[in-house]
Amino acid sequence: MAKTTDITTFFLETRTHTKEICNPLEIEDYVVQPIVDVSPPKWHLGHTTWFFEEFILKNHIKDYTVFDPDYSFVFNSYYESMGKRVVRADRGNLSRPSVNKIYEYREFVTSQMEALLNNQPSKEILQLTEIGIHHEKQHQELLLTDIKFILGNNPLLPIYETSFKEHPIEGQEQQWISIAEGVYEIGHSDNSFCYDNELGRHKVYLHPYSISNKLVTNKEYLEFINDDGYNKFQFWHSEGWDWINSNPINAPMYWHQIDGKWHHYTLGGIKELQLDLPVTHISYFEAFAFAQWKGCRLPTEFEWEIAATNFNWGTRWEWTESAYLPYPNYKKAAGALGEYNGKFMVNQKVLRGSSVATSVNHARISYRNFFQTKLRWQYTGVRLAQ
Amino acid sequence: MAKTTDITTFFLETRTHTKEICNPLEIEDYVVQPIVDVSPPKWHLGHTTWFFEEFILKNHIKDYTVFDPDYSFVFNSYYESMGKRVVRADRGNLSRPSVNKIYEYREFVTSQMEALLNNQPSKEILQLTEIGIHHEKQHQELLLTDIKFILGNNPLLPIYETSFKEHPIEGQEQQWISIAEGVYEIGHSDNSFCYDNELGRHKVYLHPYSISNKLVTNKEYLEFINDDGYNKFQFWHSEGWDWINSNPINAPMYWHQIDGKWHHYTLGGIKELQLDLPVTHISYFEAFAFAQWKGCRLPTEFEWEIAATNFNWGTRWEWTESAYLPYPNYKKAAGALGEYNGKFMVNQKVLRGSSVATSVNHARISYRNFFQTKLRWQYTGVRLAQ
Amino acid sequence: MAKTTDITTFFLETRTHTKEICNPLEIEDYVVQPIVDVSPPKWHLGHTTWFFEEFILKNHIKDYTVFDPDYSFVFNSYYESMGKRVVRADRGNLSRPSVNKIYEYREFVTSQMEALLNNQPSKEILQLTEIGIHHEKQHQELLLTDIKFILGNNPLLPIYETSFKEHPIEGQEQQWISIAEGVYEIGHSDNSFCYDNELGRHKVYLHPYSISNKLVTNKEYLEFINDDGYNKFQFWHSEGWDWINSNPINAPMYWHQIDGKWHHYTLGGIKELQLDLPVTHISYFEAFAFAQWKGCRLPTEFEWEIAATNFNWGTRWEWTESAYLPYPNYKKAAGALGEYNGKFMVNQKVLRGSSVATSVNHARISYRNFFQTKLRWQYTGVRLAQ
Amino acid sequence: MAKTTDITTFFLETRTHTKEICNPLEIEDYVVQPIVDVSPPKWHLGHTTWFFEEFILKNHIKDYTVFDPDYSFVFNSYYESMGKRVVRADRGNLSRPSVNKIYEYREFVTSQMEALLNNQPSKEILQLTEIGIHHEKQHQELLLTDIKFILGNNPLLPIYETSFKEHPIEGQEQQWISIAEGVYEIGHSDNSFCYDNELGRHKVYLHPYSISNKLVTNKEYLEFINDDGYNKFQFWHSEGWDWINSNPINAPMYWHQIDGKWHHYTLGGIKELQLDLPVTHISYFEAFAFAQWKGCRLPTEFEWEIAATNFNWGTRWEWTESAYLPYPNYKKAAGALGEYNGKFMVNQKVLRGSSVATSVNHARISYRNFFQTKLRWQYTGVRLAQ
């Protein structure tokens, strides 16, 4: 656990960074929700703020008066124990509270929190604050990927920020890293911050495997497309095959064929496809089919965790073959925070690593991200195993 | 046809009035589309402007350069002959073009039009301009009713404008006006402006009938509710009965029961239900069921038109029993404007009169409004016949 | 009203004819419901029987014991006043009661009815029996068209009956019959049987019009297809255009292109398209679009009724431009029979005439059939007007 | 691999048993498909027959003529490599081929197979026949559970067979079996028949756990219901909570409350709920929620396999916490049979054991059954772990 002064700094930096992410936006960009998975930016601003108010200020400041009693209804995401809430699909139907009002709400809660942290906070307050900071960092990534979806699906294809670098190049040669058979330890191991789903640390038996030292590139993925990979059922799960056949899906999200040439939309605008960059914005179904086509497979999350120190990671969330399940001796937190992770442990796949959209201090080897198998709007990627 | 100077004034007044309607809005209110029938206010601003650019400026100004070539795609509503367009359900997913940009677009087109009108415009330009003005007036009403939906379905129930008067009281006693059997003339009759669907003027045979001198009030409609009218199938069409049973519908739209008392949301905010005001925001199905319950019926549009001089009208669009069909000898306009009315003449009901949201100079006895039988977000109302 | 002996004969002939229609079926054909509009044949057998039991036997035989108390739930169609019922879409999910059991039920009710009719029945019984007979004749037509759908959508395309003649040829030359302007009388006029929706007889004013002496043929309709009529929006209602573009519709139902040649499935099997036969199995949307393409229009039901004595009719149900609405002074019957017609008088179009599938003694000039604008499984057709 | 004479006997017994399962049915019961997951019995009869014809007879009998060339289209289930097929949801829309015709088809294929097996069959034929037999045994279980659904959702609640025993009683006391931590071997181990998904045998590391010696009973599950378990979100996955709230689910499938008392429909008819029998027809979501409520959890499939010799199993398919994933070194079969298992290895849960509906010789400790988390029409059950 960090010291009080450190955590205040950490808190304020995080709160500021959220605003910085929104700097390039027009007011209108804060409002829309083009698909149910993408939340309006102003909702992220309000929700991350509500989290501090609901879980800390209301319980730890005597006679605390909430900024607006309706906000609990508007900015609750999924905490059933915290009462009724706007259904997720309706977030984009709400023009009020206005963006300015939500920024006022942020200022209010930030300063209340700052005062609290500067006044000999209890250990519980410090712990909850740490969770709130990490919660906001998670939303910072969603904020960026949701902004990308909002702008990238607008027919005008507006630029978010010209200088945004999505794609660090992986120049090294592709090699297979071999890992020996045996019993390994998995899970978060020191006393730094982690989520409950990274615990408890436990043993797994791994069979011998090898794993690639680099991510699959656009060039390799294009070969799969050009070999008609989207039309060959033998590489696909049955559910994946149904999905690509009942939706117009024949390339990664944000790829466009313009005058016979592949382009991709990035946060820096629409560009001709850069072949040497790691492929991104593909679903688990596509990652799996690509691996099958290549005669390989995806690693399990355990294989990934054990091998990770041998390769570079951090530009793409890497799909694994592992279903998102509790570790042995997994324990949910008491109360509403117990809803943070556990109740999503079904019908999702684990992604490991982090991405170009992940905030600083929010990546670690034991981190378990998870999404449904058809989702593509995150900066996902593929690393092969054998 | 109005004189050139008159029409320039009429044009500029209309353009200004659209902006006035939007004065009370926050930027965010311009963006959202909570249901497919409700368009974002900024879409209305752009679409009415596009109409002048597309049908007049592009054809009648030599070497005219459009403000933005993408806008035709974004702001076309349903004109198949005018090319591809954003699907209706996606209007609320577009944060760009921004509201400011659309206001620039409006200024640009308004001044281009003004210059054109001041430079000895042809008769065709004048006619198209007149259509464009009336088109914008139609959208002014939709703008108001869409704003009401956007604000009235927000959990914060924001006020549009405190002074907005929705409900002129009808204080006179209810009486039945009797009309004798015979052949009558129907349709627009002088050379003032009208839409093609009001022509051609023709004869109909009417059987003896009587029609109420006033609209049904909230008080009367509440009696229907309290008599369990929403639970008695015998008053309902089969399709209407299915509709109220598969949707949470047991009162007019915008009615809320708070602490056991009926309230209604108005553009002036949420208020206790005013019993003496004409009921509004009900579907045709509800209007029909109410009439059945009362032992009466709705008038046909012909009965309404013949009797209209005998009563006050203009606060509610009055549902009629008539299906929306072409008059004998109805002729569609040539080209894209032929898509204005004719292609909607199926599975809709005619509404007659006008409402508190109708713009000035946009109401006349022969006017034929039309909506699907389940829609409620317009200021609809009921007048009984026997 | 027919005499008692006549009505007994009429009743028994009708009951026998229903069974004859089912003669060519396998047991399995009685069970399935491929779309919600098509009921399983065994349901028709049960429902027409239930009608006699529910509306006559239960009320007019002292201490009558129903054949099976569950059948009211299974075989009620839409009579809300008669209690709960199997939802329409679930009729094809019921394997029981078995076909044999339903035939037992038929025998039981037929003999009970016969005994009642032979024992000095009251006038009310005679009237209800007449309604029950006509109700069953209506279902005989549905039985045939539902069987056609069941077999015609099976990949094996089984033959119903080789000798079934769907298509009497219309050999005469096409001519326009002119009708003069004036006030005409519409509706059922003598004291023979009719449904409530054909009353009361009333005056309408008709403008001068001309109407074709014959139906549109497959040859003419094929010209529309070959002129790309299904791809030209200007001929279609907006709702019709959406419908053909969100469904695989580019020809009448039951037309198949096999090895580059048009074929059609008939109750006599699959055959090469016969060009001189009247086109059938098209929706109102298609009938309207064809008429628009031809520069004509569909007649109103009033125009049809006044002109009908001047032309042959009876092989196709002819779409009219008229919405299905109550006549002036229309009165619903009291009680459950009041649900027979009135509650369907919205969002449907009137069809006039009758078809090759209509039972004998069930066609008359004032008869008003009605269907939704997209339905095609009846033997519909087109007659043009100007 | 069994000897030729043994396999012929095994084949003929299996073919006969399928017919025996259908003995109590009416012809109509063979036809219907009330939900997409339930196939019509006649489809099972045809499909299991098609499997032998398609994978064996067509390839291993010279100049073999198929019984009917359309049957490949009608009876293919999901083998993409075997060409087009009737979409699954349409199986219940097909009245033809008739049941009698399908029985002819069965006889034809059975005798062709018998001749082939009696004529010195190759090893490949024997292997494929063994797969075909096990394939048919799998469908025997589905046949029974589909019949239960068809009859159990008919409002007449017909009895399948009075003597059918669904529920062997588990009378022994509930105890916890403790298993020590360590590395264990998982997967099929001898050379008897198994599916590809049970291979290859491999090591897993298990943490110490205990597992119940008996299944959860109706009595225990009723306590969960009575404690309002279906209304307490904290026990449910987020997806499960949405599912029970958007469907009318508040008890196991086939439970009915009649006059205030719980009953359940069994293949022997509707009966008062027997409290001491193992609960069945619950989804994974319900199994998980029950375990949470009880303060326990579901075992993984590995925990189950290692402990299975210590307890009785075989009356219910036991939900495990394990996602259905390939074992290390899993290899798909070449060709169409490669579609048997692998392509379903996503978004499903493993069930272990077998049920009262499982055919003889079709249960083994390494068997991996799998279903989606919301399905309930199989004889599922719950065994708790800690």
Side-chain angles (χ1 to χ4, degrees), chain A residues 137-149:
Chain A
K137 282 179 173 290
Q138 271 189 290
H139 278 277
Q140 287 170 353
E141 176 151 14
L142 291 171
L143 197 47
L144 264 175
T145 52
D146 289 357
I147 289 168
K148 184 170 183 182
F149 194 98

Side-chain angles (χ1 to χ4, degrees), chain B residues 127-146:
Chain B
Q127 278 175 332
L128 288 168
T129 302
E130 198 172 26
I131 291 173
I133 292 168
H134 286 284
H135 173 255
E136 184 148 346
K137 283 179 174 291
Q138 272 189 290
H139 278 276
Q140 287 169 353
E141 175 150 15
L142 291 171
L143 198 46
L144 264 175
T145 52
D146 290 359

Side-chain angles (χ1 to χ4, degrees), chain A residues 10 13-14 133-134 137 193 358-364 367:
Chain A
F10 194 25
E13 279 172 2
T14 302
I133 291 169
H134 286 283
K137 282 179 173 290
F193 177 82
T358 309
S359 290
V360 288
N361 289 325
H362 199 65
R364 58 191 167 270
Y367 197 104

